[in-house]
Amino acid sequence: MCGIVGYLGPRDAWSTVLDALRRLEYRGYDSSGIAVLTPGGRLEVHKSAGKVRELTAPGGRPGPKGHLGLGHTRWATHGRPTDANAHPHTDCKGRVAVVHNGIVENYLQLRERLQTGGHAFTSETDSEVIAHLIEEGLEGGLGFEGAFLSMKEHLLGSQAIVAAMEGAQEKTLMAARLGHAGGIVLSHRPGEAAVSSDLAALLPLANSVTFLEDGETAVVREEGIKYLGQDHQDVLKTPQPVPQGTTWAEKGGYRHFMLKEIMEQPQAVAGALRDRVDFQRGEVTLDALPLTDAEVRDIRRVVLVGCGTSLYAAMVGRHYMEELAGVNAEVDSASEYRYRNIHVDRRTLVVSIGQSGETADTLAAMAAVRGKGGRLVTICNAEGSQATRLAEGTLYMRAGPEIGVASTKTFIASLTVLALLAIHLGRVRGALSPEDSRRLLEEMARLPNQLGGILAGREAYGALARRYHRFDDFLYMGRGITHPIALEGALKLKEIGYIHAEGYPAGEMKHGPIALIDPRMPVVAVAPQGSLHGKMANNVKEVKARDGSVIAVVSQGDRELASQVDEVIEIPACHEMFTPMLAVAPLQLLAYYIAVRRGCDVDQPRNLAKSVTVE
């Protein structure tokens, strides 16, 4: 969710970068900053917690003069939103300024090594290690370009990075993209160049643009942009014209908002993690949680409620609460829960989940909980919504605006917040050790990059859709923590493809649904590695024995199961608790491409609304 801007050209860099940052404010942020290379060759940095409008030079004076600048709007991940933690970050001597999106997965090891080598850190962020790594290269005799390329080799995880260096002759911006999460777009016309994480920031400056791919670097100078591949060899890129009008910019070049929002899921996970995780201590901080540690330890039951996609998120959340928090958990559809004679008290924590915070059934369920005296927290994406006013505390998804009616990135943001809540409860209740928590959080830090890798192969789903878009019925199955993902995959196909699809726990197949299996009923099996993988493999064999066609979501390297099915979708291996976050993206893409093939209105499916505000 962070925003990056860089500019080099004849305009005043301060005002140009400031205007571009304002165009990125819709993404949400908690701090911002700008660095400008002054005519004397010195980098002058101004940054502040809060809004861009608060970003001024000392005493309210105009910003520093110069023709090269870079800026950033930040959502905190490592370190709270403070002036010191805002970007740009600099090295020990202030020679290098860096702005960064992403999570440096190995930042603790890098920071310890750099500190041992004499580097002094001034922030709590992972981003600052990048500036010191470039400084290390400069001290080793490399030039700016060489030091920047050397820095890239040390980082793990998905990153988008832009850097500048002081020196009257050093009018260069370096930009790089590592991994699949987070993008870099560049524009250039004679004597002027700009770079950003978002096309919207470049619209007044750009007639045509180029995009960096994984591992690529851009060397930006007034005379032009040089592109380097992963092997540091020159790469030829053809600029793409910027279509007229704002709709294309809002969709980020994608055909539909839904696809754009599917592709934004790595950022959604990172956004949900920001400022809530201390990776070093293995701790989760949820300031909005209205329970003291003593009250958390006194909780005897967690009830999770939601509707539609949010209900399936709640079902995953039940596994998190039982496995990680060590507490009894229940799930209920909010539309049914509101009509039951519920029994809750101050030792019952009710968690409602909803994208808009305005779903009538969920609000009614929340009101019933308040009337009975239960503790009430909501997980929501919309600030100021009715749900946030009813709840004692709100854990925001921070997924950014979701325009497509079928929820995608808010689902994965919900799962991320639920996992954080469970880890926090587990630590306080003694169900998780500090080491357990640290290991889980380190696994979560890898999710954005793993998701990005899955989404980078989205074109394969177009071919899959060609083979399966004419079928009128689908059966989805999963077991344990993947059962809700089977339900969600079926829901997506129903919502946007208008295809009859059912999700089932695979263990229930023999109790009726197996009668439906024939060559005209494709079965989607959500079967990554996990504690129930062997049982899931047996269920797949039962389908194949009855001439069913199986599309299987499996962990990378699972050759045995892959050899038994008709179509294989691989996801990275990860901790079993987080397989839902990786397994859902392929099912979203499958539904999307099938719906497009069938000519459906993907963003506004018939009979559906984004927020169901009536019964």
Side-chain angles (χ1 to χ4, degrees):
M1 297 301 292
C2 306
I4 285 175
V5 176
Y7 175 77
L8 174 60
R11 309 180 197 221
D12 177 69
W14 173 273
S15 58
T16 302
V17 171
L18 193 65
D19 287 345
L21 292 180
R22 291 189 180 114
R23 288 189 289 276
L24 296 181
E25 287 189 286
Y26 78 94
R27 298 162 65 97
Y29 63 102
D30 53 37
S31 58
S32 59
I34 297 176
V36 171
L37 184 66
T38 65
R42 187 171 63 88
L43 280 172
E44 190 167 331
V45 178
H46 298 279
K47 53 186 185 176
S48 173
K51 298 301 181 184
V52 168
R53 62 176 175 269
E54 299 165 17
L55 189 61
T56 57
R61 301 190 309 272
K65 294 296 181 183
H67 299 289
L68 181 151
L70 68 168
H72 192 267
T73 54
R74 174 186 188 248
W75 269 128
T77 48
H78 292 70
R80 294 194 169 277
T82 63
D83 290 2
N85 289 335
H87 297 218
H89 288 290
T90 59
D91 64 324
C92 296
K93 298 176 182 177
R95 294 183 299 170
V96 176
V98 168
V99 291
H100 165 237
N101 289 350
I103 296 175
V104 180
E105 295 176 7
N106 59 332
Y107 101 98
L108 283 177
Q109 299 94 311
L110 290 173
R111 182 172 177 133
E112 289 171 4
R113 179 177 70 74
L114 289 163
Q115 285 176 322
T116 301
H119 291 262
F121 283 72
T122 59
S123 79
E124 304 168 281
T125 70
D126 59 331
S127 305
E128 191 181 348
V129 301
I130 298 171
H132 291 286
L133 287 170
I134 296 173
E135 179 184 25
E136 189 175 58
L138 294 171
E139 291 174 344
L142 299 174
F144 182 34
E145 181 178 326
F148 186 89
L149 293 172
S150 174
M151 169 274 298
K152 290 172 50 183
E153 305 304 318
H154 295 279
L155 303 182
L156 296 180
S158 281
Q159 331 288 340
I161 304 165
V162 177
M165 182 178 170
E166 71 174 11
Q169 306 303 316
E170 195 62 69
K171 292 185 179 178
T172 303
L173 288 171
M174 298 292 301
R177 178 182 178 183
L178 302 175
H180 302 289
I184 289 287
V185 56
L186 303 103
S187 71
H188 181 266
R189 48 194 181 189
E192 184 174 48
V195 55
S196 181
S197 56
D198 193 315
L199 179 66
L202 301 188
L203 285 179
L205 305 169
N207 299 320
S208 60
V209 294
T210 55
F211 296 87
L212 291 187
E213 302 299 330
D214 175 22
E216 292 183 342
T217 301
V219 185
V220 183
R221 298 190 176 98
E222 288 178 327
E223 62 269 22
I225 302 176
K226 177 175 69 172
Y227 299 97
L228 304 174
Q230 204 151 15
D231 57 0
H232 302 169
Q233 299 301 306
D234 288 356
V235 172
L236 181 64
K237 284 188 171 288
T238 303
Q240 305 174 26
V242 177
Q244 297 299 309
T246 59
T247 301
W248 190 87
E250 291 168 357
K251 291 181 181 176
Y254 295 104
R255 183 175 175 183
H256 296 98
F257 281 109
M258 183 180 177
L259 181 56
K260 174 178 181 284
E261 288 153 6
I262 289 172
M263 299 301 292
E264 287 175 342
Q265 288 181 119
Q267 294 93 319
V269 173
L273 290 172
R274 70 174 187 266
D275 79 21
R276 289 170 168 156
V277 176
D278 185 328
F279 291 99
Q280 190 166 5
R281 298 171 63 183
E283 292 182 352
V284 174
T285 301
L286 300 173
D287 291 335
L289 189 66
L291 283 78
T292 65
D293 285 358
E295 289 171 324
V296 167
R297 285 189 285 269
D298 198 40
I299 290 295
R300 291 295 173 265
R301 182 169 61 123
V302 175
V303 179
L304 303 109
V305 297
C307 293
T309 290
S310 293
L311 174 61
Y312 302 146
M315 293 174 69
V316 176
R318 174 174 58 192
H319 288 271
Y320 291 159
M321 296 302 158
E322 292 173 346
E323 294 291 331
L324 306 180
V327 63
N328 292 326
E330 303 170 13
V331 176
D332 219 319
S333 166
S335 59
E336 295 294 324
Y337 191 73
R338 62 182 295 190
Y339 294 114
R340 287 173 43 206
N341 182 22
I342 62 173
H343 296 277
V344 297
D345 56 25
R346 301 299 286 176
R347 301 173 82 183
T348 304
L349 174 63
V350 179
V351 181
S352 78
I353 305 167
Q355 179 273 142
S356 69
E358 301 291 348
T359 298
D361 289 319
T362 305
L363 294 175
M366 294 175 69
V369 171
R370 287 197 58 167
K372 296 277 189 169
R375 307 305 302 268
L376 182 60
V377 170
T378 191
I379 296 174
C380 183
N381 198 43
E383 293 188 25
S385 60
Q386 181 67 14
T388 67
R389 297 193 294 274
L390 272 172
E392 292 179 69
T394 300
L395 303 177
Y396 283 108
M397 298 177 192
R398 302 167 172 172
E402 188 175 66
I403 307 302
V405 167
S407 295
T408 52
K409 66 178 180 176
T410 53
F411 176 73
I412 205 161
S414 300
L415 299 188
T416 307
V417 176
L418 283 164
L420 292 177
L421 175 60
I423 292 169
H424 173 71
L425 297 181
R427 279 295 306 274
V428 174
R429 294 171 60 85
L432 289 177
S433 69
E435 184 55 40
D436 291 334
S437 177
R438 189 179 300 111
R439 179 170 48 84
L440 289 164
L441 294 172
E442 287 174 353
E443 289 272 355
M444 293 187 75
R446 286 190 277 272
L447 289 171
N449 194 38
Q450 291 173 323
L451 266 172
I454 293 170
L455 298 172
R458 69 181 188 274
E459 297 304 328
Y461 296 88
L464 201 57
R466 282 195 297 273
R467 296 194 288 275
Y468 286 91
H469 73 281
R470 297 186 187 279
F471 287 89
D472 295 320
D473 302 278
F474 277 73
L475 194 62
Y476 288 66
M477 63 182 190
R479 296 199 80 147
I481 202 168
T482 64
H483 167 224
I485 303 307
L487 294 169
E488 174 62 9
L491 177 62
K492 284 294 157 283
L493 196 59
K494 284 183 274 197
E495 285 179 314
I496 64 172
Y498 313 148
I499 292 173
H500 173 246
E502 296 296 333
Y504 263 90
E508 287 292 308
M509 289 291 291
K510 294 188 294 292
H511 299 281
I514 202 165
L516 296 171
I517 300 301
D518 65 24
R520 299 184 302 278
M521 172 73 82
V523 175
V524 180
V526 188
Q529 290 291 344
S531 57
L532 296 177
H533 179 263
K535 295 185 181 298
M536 191 70 195
N538 288 336
N539 297 132
V540 168
K541 291 176 182 175
E542 291 167 352
V543 173
K544 290 303 298 176
R546 289 155 179 84
D547 297 323
S549 175
V550 177
I551 303 168
V553 179
V554 304
S555 298
Q556 287 175 349
D558 187 355
R559 295 185 181 87
E560 183 177 352
L561 186 56
S563 67
Q564 300 172 23
V565 302
D566 300 272
E567 310 284 353
V568 178
I569 299 171
E570 289 192 329
I571 63 173
C574 69
H575 192 288
E576 184 174 3
M577 288 292 103
F578 305 130
T579 51
M581 301 186 197
L582 300 183
V584 73
L587 304 188
Q588 294 167 343
L589 289 168
L590 178 63
Y592 171 80
Y593 282 104
I594 285 177
V596 170
R597 270 272 165 188
R598 292 167 68 93
C600 301
D601 189 342
V602 171
D603 284 335
Q604 296 180 317
R606 66 190 183 203
N607 306 331
L608 296 179
K610 186 64 176 168
S611 178
V612 183
T613 57
V614 295
E615 286 194 65

